Amino acid sequence: EPDRGMLLVAVSRDLAGRLDARSIVGELAREFEGRGGGRPDLAEAGGRSNAEGIRRALNRTGEVVLRQMEAAKG
């Protein structure tokens, strides 16, 4: 659909157990009024094609991933 934004998150095998793609995509999708799901290694989200929201999601990706990696060390 032309009025929808999509986000895909993939986690490599070497990071399995430390990162969860479902959690990452779910948190980022909220930035553009989206929802998502999938597997721990591959998840996707869709939502309103809101350029500013998608930009916010992309800008927050590093923060979300680092926080999840820190929590896994815990």
Side-chain angles (χ1 to χ4, degrees):
E1 295 179 34
D3 60 342
R4 305 253 321 149
M6 298 295 296
L7 180 64
L8 178 73
V9 174
V11 174
S12 61
R13 289 182 187 160
D14 61 322
L15 294 174
R18 293 172 50 193
L19 295 174
D20 183 341
R22 296 170 298 190
S23 174
I24 295 168
V25 83
E27 185 168 345
L28 295 175
R30 288 193 294 266
E31 295 292 342
F32 60 101
E33 298 179 36
R35 293 178 34 171
R39 302 186 316 254
D41 64 327
L42 184 66
E44 66 180 319
R48 290 189 46 217
S49 184
N50 163 340
E52 184 57 35
I54 292 171
R55 188 175 300 111
R56 282 192 311 268
L58 293 174
N59 287 336
R60 289 196 59 224
T61 302
E63 163 206 335
V64 172
V65 169
L66 288 174
R67 185 171 0 100
Q68 201 173 105
M69 288 184 73
E70 287 295 318
K73 285 182 185 179

